[in-house]
């Protein structure tokens, strides 16, 4: 018997792309023969979804990975799968998750038609600034159980009549004998910019390039977004760093051009009506820019934040493994190559003691990469990490003295204008490992 | 003791010199500077001796820390021993900083650098029986405590520990502080070392805290949390640059205060000296039962060496029946796997010393930021080799010393000195030496990998091989395309 439903993954992030063919599937792996190199992209099984029929018509593993098609970026269009909790009612008590299939549905006396989806997404970037509810851009698929492509049409009270922003589309995959799983695919938008009909900025400001935008959608006579500027005294609305919207004018009075984009996030709901009861599951989707360094992972990710929120700031001793510590160091290594470390060492984007805070001879990218490669080598020996003492604690981020700025990770900016700190959980992991035996005699936990 | 050293040492030891052996008692007072030396030359002589001692102490401490093993204790007792280990490693790190500061002093006085020292066992100004690489015991700790002790340490406990150290070392254990006191006296004397002696422009070649201190500054250090039962004080590395008499004396005083205890420490002094920290470990270890001591100290061989038929090969040192001091001996590493790792250790140790020495030959120059900066690369490589030494030591303490005695003593890091630390005159040739060391390392890595694909450290050795390949390519670039 099915006790509960789940949508897995519970959070799927799509990547913009205007090419007609979504990106092929791939895994990101550490090559065991190249442990000090960058991660390898290994093509993986890709499902080909026929938009017209809604069926998966073939699967393949690409010979090579191509991120563009005829000069356009291929979107990353994730599949969301429905899984069922069967057996016991508790996962911890003998229950297990199984992919929901037509076979499992039939066994429950249900059919594919008993499944209903609804997807609601929004772009709240503007309303976050202006505080005007009429600046919300919302798309609602309404409930559906067919297998046609459902466009996600973003509507907004402050748009010009008849104007919308396309957030992409979703499609309930039609199960087949070869692919009986219950899936929904989210294909994001192309990553376009939309403009406003407001007047150009006063001279000597240059008007925005009309080529920037794909359509004029915002009605400046209705909303405040075109011409909006952050007020320093409204800390709820300002961001750090500021000026992260297109506009003109000085930093203290940055005026918005009234641009919007087709990024969005929201929820996916699925219901199964069967034998007089309704089972529900919710998943979350979002869409953002393409990843231009797919073989690298940021040192602190949303995943780390979620893990900390779910499991707390301390790791269990059994979870403090060398593999996890290596993953953190590897991400730092991967990030360095994307940085201008000489400029970062100047620390121009933050206050503090000012000037270089590391010896300039030490911060060239090659020297820093080598140093982190050394850390990776040493961790492979099972030697307790010795760098736990130089990690920046979460509550030290605002300490801008030079000794504090030398803490690790160094020269990287966090979500605000202060230096980046690892999550408390990441720090705790490394410290727990550092408190373990100095040598593990070849038996690395 | 080597006469080329000893004959100039009388002022440090503060003893009158017997004019003849076995004849009528007649002595003469030591002179400063000693005959044959000028004041500047005497200061350089003392600094080079200080460097050798700092180096020797550092390696002894590293070996002692590596000999500890917390994993055999009950979980609640492990942090205690792990804390000792980190404390001793921290002291070794501080000795390394002292060694670097002494090089700065040598540069300021225009003297030759000193990274050399004798192999173990060896005689020296500190102990008559010489430095010894040995597992940590209360006896070995007693010698370390005495070496680092302040001048007027003279309690009942002091007398007991000095007696224990004397038996262990086969004679009086001299204080390192005496050497630094003499250095302060000599360098502080304008007549012995005139103002014009100091090279005010030598700073570009000196090691700075910014480059070598990393994040190990006391402020903002890791603050122990509630579960940090091994909470320990963090100590600042003393890496001082020197341009004149005032900065020279400040550097010497800092080094002396941190380690060698010029004065009795105040009870409320947060920054415990090496002496205090080592004494604390001595007291804690002495308070352990014998069985617990056996559990936390690995049965590591004394003075392990790759030299199978060296002149000092012999049984484990032990006092004879008459209580005479033990003859210093070495323990050849006859287990073939351990010996390959020990050779690799020696190559990486040499690579560290060569990188250190080479760094001091290069002035800071960042004219081309798109190429690996040679000086920064060498500094980072020096740290890399420190990490490698620790990793390889971890493998060695887990391998048997002798195939014929599989349950017996384990091998350990040999820390054998290279045949030379002199660098070539030509800069390209200096980089060729780095390439030579990578080649030698590659040969040993190949042998280790081929010997046992599943043995200890195979994951590490594969990664090290790749790191060496990357470094080799960079070294060839620095040679100027002269590489293969």
């Amino acid at each position: 018997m099915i006790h509960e439903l789940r949508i897995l993954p519970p959070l799927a992030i799509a990547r913009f792309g205007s090419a007609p063919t979504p990106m092929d599937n791939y895994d990101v792996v550490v090559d065991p023969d190249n442990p000090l190199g960058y991660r390898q992209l290994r093509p993986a099984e890709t499902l080909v979804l026929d938009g017209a029929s809604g069926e998966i018509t073939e699967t393949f593993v690409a010979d090579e990975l191509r991120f563009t098609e005829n000069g356009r970026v291929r979107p990353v269009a994730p599949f969301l799968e429905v899984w069922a909790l069967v057996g016991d009612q508790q996962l911890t008590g003998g229950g297990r998750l199984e992919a929901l299939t037509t076979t499992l549905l039939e066994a429950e006396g249900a059919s594919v038609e008993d499944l209903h989806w609804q997807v609601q997404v929004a772009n709240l970037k503007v309303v976050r600034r202006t505080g005007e509810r009429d600046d919300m851009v919302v798309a609602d698929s309404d409930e559906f159980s067919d297998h046609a492509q459902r466009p996600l049409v973003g509507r907004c009270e402050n748009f010009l009549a008849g104007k919308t922003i396309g957030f992409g589309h979703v499609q309930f995959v039609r199960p087949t004998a070869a692919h009986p799983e219950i899936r929904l695919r989210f294909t994001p938008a192309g990553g376009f910019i939309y403009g406003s009909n407001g007047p150009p900025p006063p001279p000597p400001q240059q008007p925005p390039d009309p080529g920037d935008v794909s359509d004029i959608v915002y009605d400046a006579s209705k909303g405040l977004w075109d011409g909006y500027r952050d007020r320093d005294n409204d800390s709820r609305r300002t961001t750090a760093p500021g000026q992260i919207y297109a506009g003109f004018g000085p930093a203290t009075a940055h005026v918005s051009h009234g641009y919007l984009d087709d990024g969005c996030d929201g929820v996916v709901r699925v219901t199964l009506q069967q034998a007089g009861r309704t089972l529900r599951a919710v998943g979350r989707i979002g869409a953002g820019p393409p990843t231009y360094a797919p073989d690298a992972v940021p040192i602190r990710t949303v995943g780390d934040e979620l893990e900390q929120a779910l499991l707390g700031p301390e790791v269990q001793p059994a979870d403090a493994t060398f593999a996890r510590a290596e993953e953190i160091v590897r991400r730092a290594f991967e990030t360095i190559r994307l940085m201008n470390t000489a400029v970062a060492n100047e620390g121009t984007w933050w206050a503090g003691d000012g000037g270089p805070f590391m010896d300039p001879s030490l911060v060239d990218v090659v020297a820093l990469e080598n140093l982190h490669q050394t850390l990776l080598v040493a961790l492979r020996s099972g030697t307790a990490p010795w760098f736990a003492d130089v990690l920046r604690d979460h509550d030290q981020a605002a300490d801008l003295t030079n000794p504090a700025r030398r803490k690790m990770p160094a020269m990287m900016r966090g979500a605000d204008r202060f230096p980046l700190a690892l999550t408390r959980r990441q720090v705790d992991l490394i410290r727990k490992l550092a408190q373990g035996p100095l040598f593990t005699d070849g038996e690395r936990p | 003791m080597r006469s080329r050293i000893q004959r100039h040492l009388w002022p440090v030891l503060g003893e009158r010199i017997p004019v003849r052996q076995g004849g009528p008692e007649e002595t003469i007072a030591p002179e400063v500077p000693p005959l044959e030396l000028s004041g500047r030359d005497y200061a350089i002589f003392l600094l080079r001796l200080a460097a050798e001692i700092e180096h020797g102490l550092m390696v002894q401490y590293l070996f002692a820390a590596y000999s500890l093993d917390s994993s055999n204790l009950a979980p609640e007792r492990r942090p205690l021993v792990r804390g000792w280990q980190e404390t001793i490693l921290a002291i070794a790190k501080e000795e390394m900083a002292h060694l670097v500061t002494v090089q700065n002093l040598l540069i300021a006085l225009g003297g030759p650098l000193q990274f050399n020292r004798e192999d173990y066992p060896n005689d020296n100004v500190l102990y008559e029986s010489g430095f010894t690489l040995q597992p940590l015991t209360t006896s070995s700790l007693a010698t370390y405590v005495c070496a680092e002790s302040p001048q007027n340490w003279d309690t009942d406990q002091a007398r007991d520990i000095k007696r224990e150290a004397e038996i262990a070392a086969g004679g009086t254990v001299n204080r390192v502080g005496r050497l630094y006191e003499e250095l302060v006296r000599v360098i502080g004397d304008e007549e012995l070392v005139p103002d014009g002696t100091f090279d005010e422009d030598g700073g570009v070649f000196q090691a700075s805290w910014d480059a070598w201190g990393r994040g190990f500054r006391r402020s903002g250090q890791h603050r122990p949390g509630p579960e940090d039962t091994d909470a320990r004080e963090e100590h600042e590395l003393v890496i001082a640059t020197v341009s004149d008499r005032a900065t020279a004396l400040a550097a010497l005083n800092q080094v002396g205060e941190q380690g060698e205890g010029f004065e009795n420490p105040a009870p409320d002094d947060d920054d415990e000296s090496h002496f205090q920290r080592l004494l604390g470990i001595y007291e804690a270890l002495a308070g352990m039962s014998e069985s617990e001591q056996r559990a936390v100290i690995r049965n590591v061989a004394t003075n392990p060496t790759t030299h199978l038929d060296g002149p000092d090969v012999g049984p484990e040192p032990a006092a004879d029946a008459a209580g005479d001091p033990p003859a210093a001996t070495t323990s050849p590493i006859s287990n073939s796997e351990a010996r390959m790792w020990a050779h690799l250790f020696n190559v990486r140790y040499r690579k560290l010393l060569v990188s250190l020495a080479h760094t001091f030959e290069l002035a800071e120059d960042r004219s081309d930021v798109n190429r690996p900066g040679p000086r920064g690369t060498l500094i980072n490589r020096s740290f890399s080799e420190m990490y490698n030494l620790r990793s390889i030591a971890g493998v060695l303490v887990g391998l048997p010393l002798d195939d014929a005695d599989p349950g017996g003593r384990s091998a350990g890091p040999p820390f054998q000195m290279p045949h030379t630390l002199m660098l070539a005159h030509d800069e390209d040739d200096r980089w060729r030496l780095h390439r030579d060391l990578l080649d030698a390392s590659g040969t040993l890595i190949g042998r280790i990998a081929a010997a046992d694909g599943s043995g200890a450290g195979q994951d590490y050795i594969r990664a090290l091989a790749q790191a060496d390949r990357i470094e080799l390519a960079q070294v060839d670039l620095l040679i100027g395309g002269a590489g293969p």
Side-chain angles (χ1 to χ4, degrees), chain A residues 238-296:
Chain A
T238 53
T239 53
Q243 310 164 54
I244 55 173
Y245 48 86
F248 61 89
T252 52
H254 194 66
V255 181
S256 166
H257 281 319
Y259 283 4
L260 296 97
D261 64 31
D262 52 10
C264 68
D265 63 87
V267 295
V268 175
R269 294 186 178 84
V270 65
T271 58
L272 172 62
Q273 289 167 340
Q274 173 256 343
R277 62 175 186 155
T278 302
L279 297 173
R280 293 184 175 84
V282 176
R284 285 171 173 77
I285 55 174
T291 171
Y292 287 107
D295 56 350

Side-chain angles (χ1 to χ4, degrees), chain A residues 15-22 67-76 187-192 262 290 292:
Chain A
R15 303 279 188 178
F16 298 144
S18 59
T21 313
F67 286 83
T68 56
E69 183 179 28
N70 298 323
R72 290 176 175 269
V73 174
R74 298 172 69 183
V76 173
T187 303
F192 297 115
D262 52 10
Y292 287 107

Side-chain angles (χ1 to χ4, degrees), chain A residues 42 64 68 79 110 124 143 167 205 216 271 275 313 327 390 427:
Chain A
R42 183 179 296 161
E64 63 172 12
T68 56
F79 288 92
L124 305 181
E143 196 170 285
F167 290 147
Q205 303 294 338
I216 300 294
T271 58
E327 170 67 18
V390 295
V427 171

